[in-house]
Amino acid sequence: MPVLNDDDVMFEVWTSARPTTRADAGEFVAARNEDVLFGCLQLKLDCRLDAASYSAYSRIFDFIDGLGYGHLLRVWNYFPRITADADGRERYAWFNVGRHEAFAAKGRVIGVDTPAACALGSRGTDLVIYFLAAKQAGQLVENPRQTSAFHYPAQYGPRSPTFARARLMRTAGNPLLFVSGTASIVGHETQHIGDAPAQARETIANLRAVMAQAQFSGLDPASSNANLLLKTYLRDPHDLSMVRNCLKQAFGPAANVLYLQADICRADLLLEVEAVYSSATANVLAPAH
Ligand code: 3EB
């Protein structure tokens, strides 16, 4: 996905105060410490998205279960042409079918063992899934302004998306909140179709609501938000300066924001914002040079 920041090459760097070891195995690239495992799985898309996501998630669950990090906390899902049609359904809807079935097949309880997540349309050719798994389950957090995605009605597809609005974990006693991709949705319906500034404001209201729900209120512009890392996906790069101004006003100039161009999983959504919020800095954005 193209990076829209001025430093146009950025790495997201996850750090650990505890010793880490590589956990690469077969098609997985991964590293772990005594609490958590971060991994990546990249698969060629040579079948429909329901079969691809079923296969990917089945492998991920086998991998994390085998190493003892059985709780998925946060998942990033990327694949091309996310809203394109395939056999009469959008590819994202097919993706949800396979993901949902894999959770069920591997004994995960929907609405309990449900990670924070995002799902975006990339420019690549493969299905790429990054995931953070842990030995401890953490805590599911929902947004009172939004229908839980795992309860979305069938108009969005025969199987609901398998993600929580946020997931809260503790590492060495410090809370770490993973906020899922958050968009201009109230209830289950897209709001402000065609109006990017209004979608930005609604998205910020949703971010605040889910953070408040996790008892992380007080994210006012006056406080330092060095420990708030935001990732913004924009369908149209022309919305960059408007969205940047909205986020600066909402979260202060110190908030770290990475801007990426991506297709949002509903054709009527223009942007999506995700967050990691910690009381101690756990990851940083670093220019590549
Ligand atoms: C939404 O709220 C917007 O399918 O994993 C956000 C976060 C969205 C995660 C996913 C989708 C996903 O429904 C889309």
Side-chain angles (χ1 to χ4, degrees), residues 225-257:
N225 286 308
N227 299 327
L228 179 66
L229 180 66
L230 298 170
K231 194 178 295 170
T232 301
Y233 303 94
L234 296 178
R235 182 182 297 282
D236 182 351
H238 293 111
D239 291 329
L240 176 62
S241 62
M242 178 276 295
V243 173
R244 198 196 270 145
N245 286 337
C246 288
L247 290 174
K248 265 192 188 142
Q249 213 168 34
F251 298 110
N256 264 309
V257 194

mmCIF file of all heavy atoms in Angstrom, residues 225-257:
data_model
loop_
_atom_site.group_PDB
_atom_site.id
_atom_site.type_symbol
_atom_site.label_atom_id
_atom_site.label_comp_id
_atom_site.label_asym_id
_atom_site.label_seq_id
_atom_site.Cartn_x
_atom_site.Cartn_y
_atom_site.Cartn_z
ATOM 1 N N ASN A 225 0.049 12.665 23.433
ATOM 2 C CA ASN A 225 -0.399 11.375 22.942
ATOM 3 C C ASN A 225 0.743 10.619 22.270
ATOM 4 O O ASN A 225 0.575 9.958 21.272
ATOM 5 C CB ASN A 225 -1.570 11.533 21.981
ATOM 6 C CG ASN A 225 -2.837 11.871 22.746
ATOM 7 O OD1 ASN A 225 -3.179 11.173 23.686
ATOM 8 N ND2 ASN A 225 -3.482 12.942 22.366
ATOM 9 N N ALA A 226 1.922 10.730 22.874
ATOM 10 C CA ALA A 226 3.082 10.046 22.311
ATOM 11 C C ALA A 226 2.856 8.538 22.267
ATOM 12 O O ALA A 226 3.476 7.841 21.482
ATOM 13 C CB ALA A 226 4.322 10.358 23.119
ATOM 14 N N ASN A 227 1.957 8.036 23.132
ATOM 15 C CA ASN A 227 1.734 6.601 23.175
ATOM 16 C C ASN A 227 0.497 6.192 22.396
ATOM 17 O O ASN A 227 -0.003 5.094 22.546
ATOM 18 C CB ASN A 227 1.617 6.132 24.627
ATOM 19 C CG ASN A 227 2.893 6.422 25.381
ATOM 20 O OD1 ASN A 227 3.981 6.381 24.799
ATOM 21 N ND2 ASN A 227 2.761 6.749 26.649
ATOM 22 N N LEU A 228 0.006 7.095 21.578
ATOM 23 C CA LEU A 228 -1.101 6.764 20.690
ATOM 24 C C LEU A 228 -0.553 6.667 19.273
ATOM 25 O O LEU A 228 0.004 7.630 18.745
ATOM 26 C CB LEU A 228 -2.184 7.850 20.757
ATOM 27 C CG LEU A 228 -3.397 7.635 19.839
ATOM 28 C CD1 LEU A 228 -4.197 6.413 20.260
ATOM 29 C CD2 LEU A 228 -4.284 8.873 19.852
ATOM 30 N N LEU A 229 -0.675 5.500 18.704
ATOM 31 C CA LEU A 229 -0.221 5.295 17.336
ATOM 32 C C LEU A 229 -1.446 5.025 16.477
ATOM 33 O O LEU A 229 -2.210 4.101 16.745
ATOM 34 C CB LEU A 229 0.725 4.087 17.288
ATOM 35 C CG LEU A 229 1.281 3.734 15.913
ATOM 36 C CD1 LEU A 229 2.187 4.835 15.399
ATOM 37 C CD2 LEU A 229 2.030 2.413 15.989
ATOM 38 N N LEU A 230 -1.633 5.882 15.479
ATOM 39 C CA LEU A 230 -2.795 5.741 14.596
ATOM 40 C C LEU A 230 -2.324 5.320 13.212
ATOM 41 O O LEU A 230 -1.255 5.725 12.756
ATOM 42 C CB LEU A 230 -3.540 7.072 14.477
ATOM 43 C CG LEU A 230 -4.133 7.649 15.764
ATOM 44 C CD1 LEU A 230 -4.609 9.077 15.519
ATOM 45 C CD2 LEU A 230 -5.279 6.790 16.268
ATOM 46 N N LYS A 231 -3.133 4.515 12.555
ATOM 47 C CA LYS A 231 -2.873 4.172 11.161
ATOM 48 C C LYS A 231 -4.147 4.472 10.395
ATOM 49 O O LYS A 231 -5.211 3.977 10.731
ATOM 50 C CB LYS A 231 -2.503 2.700 11.047
ATOM 51 C CG LYS A 231 -1.903 2.319 9.703
ATOM 52 C CD LYS A 231 -1.508 0.842 9.685
ATOM 53 C CE LYS A 231 -0.389 0.556 10.662
ATOM 54 N NZ LYS A 231 -0.162 -0.888 10.835
ATOM 55 N N THR A 232 -4.001 5.336 9.401
ATOM 56 C CA THR A 232 -5.150 5.804 8.638
ATOM 57 C C THR A 232 -5.066 5.272 7.218
ATOM 58 O O THR A 232 -4.036 5.419 6.560
ATOM 59 C CB THR A 232 -5.166 7.341 8.619
ATOM 60 O OG1 THR A 232 -5.241 7.810 9.969
ATOM 61 C CG2 THR A 232 -6.350 7.883 7.840
ATOM 62 N N TYR A 233 -6.127 4.656 6.777
ATOM 63 C CA TYR A 233 -6.217 4.172 5.403
ATOM 64 C C TYR A 233 -7.157 5.094 4.640
ATOM 65 O O TYR A 233 -8.298 5.305 5.067
ATOM 66 C CB TYR A 233 -6.778 2.745 5.365
ATOM 67 C CG TYR A 233 -5.986 1.735 6.167
ATOM 68 C CD1 TYR A 233 -6.341 1.437 7.482
ATOM 69 C CD2 TYR A 233 -4.897 1.072 5.615
ATOM 70 C CE1 TYR A 233 -5.630 0.502 8.227
ATOM 71 C CE2 TYR A 233 -4.179 0.133 6.343
ATOM 72 C CZ TYR A 233 -4.556 -0.149 7.653
ATOM 73 O OH TYR A 233 -3.853 -1.075 8.378
ATOM 74 N N LEU A 234 -6.658 5.659 3.542
ATOM 75 C CA LEU A 234 -7.471 6.566 2.722
ATOM 76 C C LEU A 234 -7.702 5.946 1.360
ATOM 77 O O LEU A 234 -6.754 5.514 0.703
ATOM 78 C CB LEU A 234 -6.738 7.906 2.528
ATOM 79 C CG LEU A 234 -6.475 8.756 3.763
ATOM 80 C CD1 LEU A 234 -5.695 10.000 3.352
ATOM 81 C CD2 LEU A 234 -7.782 9.133 4.431
ATOM 82 N N ARG A 235 -8.967 5.953 0.934
ATOM 83 C CA ARG A 235 -9.251 5.495 -0.426
ATOM 84 C C ARG A 235 -8.675 6.481 -1.447
ATOM 85 O O ARG A 235 -8.077 6.084 -2.429
ATOM 86 C CB ARG A 235 -10.769 5.361 -0.611
ATOM 87 C CG ARG A 235 -11.184 4.842 -1.971
ATOM 88 C CD ARG A 235 -12.698 4.785 -2.101
ATOM 89 N NE ARG A 235 -13.308 3.860 -1.144
ATOM 90 C CZ ARG A 235 -13.313 2.538 -1.283
ATOM 91 N NH1 ARG A 235 -12.747 1.977 -2.320
ATOM 92 N NH2 ARG A 235 -13.891 1.770 -0.379
ATOM 93 N N ASP A 236 -8.871 7.798 -1.158
ATOM 94 C CA ASP A 236 -8.444 8.836 -2.084
ATOM 95 C C ASP A 236 -7.361 9.693 -1.424
ATOM 96 O O ASP A 236 -7.638 10.387 -0.441
ATOM 97 C CB ASP A 236 -9.658 9.713 -2.445
ATOM 98 C CG ASP A 236 -9.314 10.799 -3.447
ATOM 99 O OD1 ASP A 236 -8.116 10.996 -3.753
ATOM 100 O OD2 ASP A 236 -10.265 11.466 -3.914
ATOM 101 N N PRO A 237 -6.136 9.677 -1.944
ATOM 102 C CA PRO A 237 -5.047 10.453 -1.324
ATOM 103 C C PRO A 237 -5.325 11.948 -1.258
ATOM 104 O O PRO A 237 -4.723 12.650 -0.446
ATOM 105 C CB PRO A 237 -3.830 10.159 -2.209
ATOM 106 C CG PRO A 237 -4.269 9.291 -3.316
ATOM 107 C CD PRO A 237 -5.697 8.900 -3.119
ATOM 108 N N HIS A 238 -6.269 12.442 -2.053
ATOM 109 C CA HIS A 238 -6.597 13.875 -1.990
ATOM 110 C C HIS A 238 -7.227 14.261 -0.657
ATOM 111 O O HIS A 238 -7.288 15.444 -0.325
ATOM 112 C CB HIS A 238 -7.545 14.265 -3.144
ATOM 113 C CG HIS A 238 -6.886 14.170 -4.481
ATOM 114 N ND1 HIS A 238 -7.233 13.210 -5.408
ATOM 115 C CD2 HIS A 238 -5.878 14.869 -5.032
ATOM 116 C CE1 HIS A 238 -6.468 13.351 -6.477
ATOM 117 N NE2 HIS A 238 -5.648 14.345 -6.281
ATOM 118 N N ASP A 239 -7.712 13.293 0.097
ATOM 119 C CA ASP A 239 -8.313 13.597 1.399
ATOM 120 C C ASP A 239 -7.265 13.722 2.505
ATOM 121 O O ASP A 239 -7.610 13.971 3.665
ATOM 122 C CB ASP A 239 -9.332 12.512 1.782
ATOM 123 C CG ASP A 239 -10.560 12.559 0.887
ATOM 124 O OD1 ASP A 239 -10.919 13.663 0.432
ATOM 125 O OD2 ASP A 239 -11.157 11.490 0.638
ATOM 126 N N LEU A 240 -5.977 13.540 2.162
ATOM 127 C CA LEU A 240 -4.928 13.486 3.194
ATOM 128 C C LEU A 240 -4.905 14.719 4.098
ATOM 129 O O LEU A 240 -4.960 14.585 5.322
ATOM 130 C CB LEU A 240 -3.553 13.290 2.533
ATOM 131 C CG LEU A 240 -2.348 13.301 3.472
ATOM 132 C CD1 LEU A 240 -2.421 12.153 4.477
ATOM 133 C CD2 LEU A 240 -1.045 13.215 2.677
ATOM 134 N N SER A 241 -4.857 15.926 3.532
ATOM 135 C CA SER A 241 -4.664 17.093 4.403
ATOM 136 C C SER A 241 -5.901 17.343 5.262
ATOM 137 O O SER A 241 -5.785 17.704 6.440
ATOM 138 C CB SER A 241 -4.285 18.330 3.588
ATOM 139 O OG SER A 241 -5.318 18.659 2.700
ATOM 140 N N MET A 242 -7.070 17.103 4.715
ATOM 141 C CA MET A 242 -8.308 17.270 5.498
ATOM 142 C C MET A 242 -8.325 16.286 6.679
ATOM 143 O O MET A 242 -8.597 16.667 7.823
ATOM 144 C CB MET A 242 -9.515 17.058 4.574
ATOM 145 C CG MET A 242 -10.865 17.153 5.229
ATOM 146 S SD MET A 242 -11.412 15.631 6.032
ATOM 147 C CE MET A 242 -11.587 14.539 4.628
ATOM 148 N N VAL A 243 -8.020 15.024 6.401
ATOM 149 C CA VAL A 243 -8.069 14.017 7.470
ATOM 150 C C VAL A 243 -6.968 14.289 8.496
ATOM 151 O O VAL A 243 -7.187 14.174 9.709
ATOM 152 C CB VAL A 243 -7.946 12.592 6.884
ATOM 153 C CG1 VAL A 243 -7.820 11.553 7.981
ATOM 154 C CG2 VAL A 243 -9.160 12.278 6.008
ATOM 155 N N ARG A 244 -5.794 14.707 8.013
ATOM 156 C CA ARG A 244 -4.696 15.015 8.934
ATOM 157 C C ARG A 244 -5.105 16.134 9.885
ATOM 158 O O ARG A 244 -4.851 16.061 11.088
ATOM 159 C CB ARG A 244 -3.463 15.413 8.117
ATOM 160 C CG ARG A 244 -2.171 15.339 8.908
ATOM 161 C CD ARG A 244 -1.062 16.095 8.200
ATOM 162 N NE ARG A 244 -0.319 15.262 7.285
ATOM 163 C CZ ARG A 244 0.185 15.698 6.119
ATOM 164 N NH1 ARG A 244 -0.010 16.937 5.731
ATOM 165 N NH2 ARG A 244 0.864 14.888 5.347
ATOM 166 N N ASN A 245 -5.768 17.163 9.362
ATOM 167 C CA ASN A 245 -6.228 18.261 10.227
ATOM 168 C C ASN A 245 -7.244 17.777 11.252
ATOM 169 O O ASN A 245 -7.191 18.165 12.415
ATOM 170 C CB ASN A 245 -6.829 19.387 9.380
ATOM 171 C CG ASN A 245 -5.751 20.171 8.660
ATOM 172 O OD1 ASN A 245 -4.595 20.185 9.087
ATOM 173 N ND2 ASN A 245 -6.120 20.813 7.555
ATOM 174 N N CYS A 246 -8.162 16.939 10.830
ATOM 175 C CA CYS A 246 -9.180 16.406 11.760
ATOM 176 C C CYS A 246 -8.514 15.610 12.883
ATOM 177 O O CYS A 246 -8.874 15.756 14.055
ATOM 178 C CB CYS A 246 -10.157 15.493 11.021
ATOM 179 S SG CYS A 246 -11.299 16.349 9.935
ATOM 180 N N LEU A 247 -7.542 14.769 12.529
ATOM 181 C CA LEU A 247 -6.906 13.922 13.547
ATOM 182 C C LEU A 247 -6.031 14.747 14.483
ATOM 183 O O LEU A 247 -5.962 14.470 15.688
ATOM 184 C CB LEU A 247 -6.092 12.807 12.886
ATOM 185 C CG LEU A 247 -6.929 11.715 12.195
ATOM 186 C CD1 LEU A 247 -6.028 10.734 11.454
ATOM 187 C CD2 LEU A 247 -7.810 10.963 13.196
ATOM 188 N N LYS A 248 -5.380 15.795 13.941
ATOM 189 C CA LYS A 248 -4.560 16.672 14.787
ATOM 190 C C LYS A 248 -5.435 17.374 15.807
ATOM 191 O O LYS A 248 -5.087 17.500 16.976
ATOM 192 C CB LYS A 248 -3.840 17.717 13.923
ATOM 193 C CG LYS A 248 -2.433 17.286 13.553
ATOM 194 C CD LYS A 248 -1.642 18.435 12.956
ATOM 195 C CE LYS A 248 -0.322 17.876 12.417
ATOM 196 N NZ LYS A 248 0.084 18.496 11.172
ATOM 197 N N GLN A 249 -6.591 17.855 15.341
ATOM 198 C CA GLN A 249 -7.506 18.552 16.232
ATOM 199 C C GLN A 249 -8.032 17.602 17.307
ATOM 200 O O GLN A 249 -8.168 17.978 18.460
ATOM 201 C CB GLN A 249 -8.672 19.090 15.407
ATOM 202 C CG GLN A 249 -9.212 20.392 15.928
ATOM 203 C CD GLN A 249 -10.150 21.021 14.913
ATOM 204 O OE1 GLN A 249 -10.858 20.316 14.188
ATOM 205 N NE2 GLN A 249 -10.165 22.339 14.869
ATOM 206 N N ALA A 250 -8.293 16.377 16.928
ATOM 207 C CA ALA A 250 -8.892 15.429 17.868
ATOM 208 C C ALA A 250 -7.870 14.874 18.851
ATOM 209 O O ALA A 250 -8.180 14.696 20.032
ATOM 210 C CB ALA A 250 -9.547 14.282 17.099
ATOM 211 N N PHE A 251 -6.682 14.565 18.396
ATOM 212 C CA PHE A 251 -5.731 13.817 19.237
ATOM 213 C C PHE A 251 -4.440 14.570 19.517
ATOM 214 O O PHE A 251 -3.549 14.041 20.166
ATOM 215 C CB PHE A 251 -5.417 12.460 18.586
ATOM 216 C CG PHE A 251 -6.628 11.580 18.455
ATOM 217 C CD1 PHE A 251 -7.180 11.312 17.220
ATOM 218 C CD2 PHE A 251 -7.234 11.039 19.586
ATOM 219 C CE1 PHE A 251 -8.307 10.504 17.105
ATOM 220 C CE2 PHE A 251 -8.357 10.237 19.480
ATOM 221 C CZ PHE A 251 -8.903 9.970 18.230
ATOM 222 N N GLY A 252 -4.332 15.797 19.025
ATOM 223 C CA GLY A 252 -3.151 16.591 19.312
ATOM 224 C C GLY A 252 -2.062 16.397 18.273
ATOM 225 O O GLY A 252 -2.025 15.379 17.605
ATOM 226 N N PRO A 253 -1.174 17.383 18.175
ATOM 227 C CA PRO A 253 -0.134 17.344 17.134
ATOM 228 C C PRO A 253 0.898 16.252 17.374
ATOM 229 O O PRO A 253 1.603 15.863 16.452
ATOM 230 C CB PRO A 253 0.497 18.742 17.213
ATOM 231 C CG PRO A 253 0.130 19.285 18.546
ATOM 232 C CD PRO A 253 -1.146 18.622 18.962
ATOM 233 N N ALA A 254 0.983 15.739 18.625
ATOM 234 C CA ALA A 254 2.023 14.750 18.933
ATOM 235 C C ALA A 254 1.635 13.326 18.527
ATOM 236 O O ALA A 254 2.485 12.445 18.518
ATOM 237 C CB ALA A 254 2.351 14.780 20.427
ATOM 238 N N ALA A 255 0.370 13.133 18.221
ATOM 239 C CA ALA A 255 -0.053 11.765 17.888
ATOM 240 C C ALA A 255 0.680 11.281 16.630
ATOM 241 O O ALA A 255 0.825 12.006 15.655
ATOM 242 C CB ALA A 255 -1.561 11.721 17.666
ATOM 243 N N ASN A 256 1.161 10.076 16.699
ATOM 244 C CA ASN A 256 1.846 9.434 15.574
ATOM 245 C C ASN A 256 0.812 8.891 14.607
ATOM 246 O O ASN A 256 -0.003 8.057 14.993
ATOM 247 C CB ASN A 256 2.621 8.221 16.088
ATOM 248 C CG ASN A 256 4.060 8.543 16.366
ATOM 249 O OD1 ASN A 256 4.737 9.109 15.502
ATOM 250 N ND2 ASN A 256 4.516 8.184 17.550
ATOM 251 N N VAL A 257 0.844 9.318 13.360
ATOM 252 C CA VAL A 257 -0.127 8.795 12.400
ATOM 253 C C VAL A 257 0.594 8.336 11.128
ATOM 254 O O VAL A 257 1.351 9.099 10.536
ATOM 255 C CB VAL A 257 -1.195 9.828 11.990
ATOM 256 C CG1 VAL A 257 -2.347 9.132 11.266
ATOM 257 C CG2 VAL A 257 -1.707 10.607 13.187
#
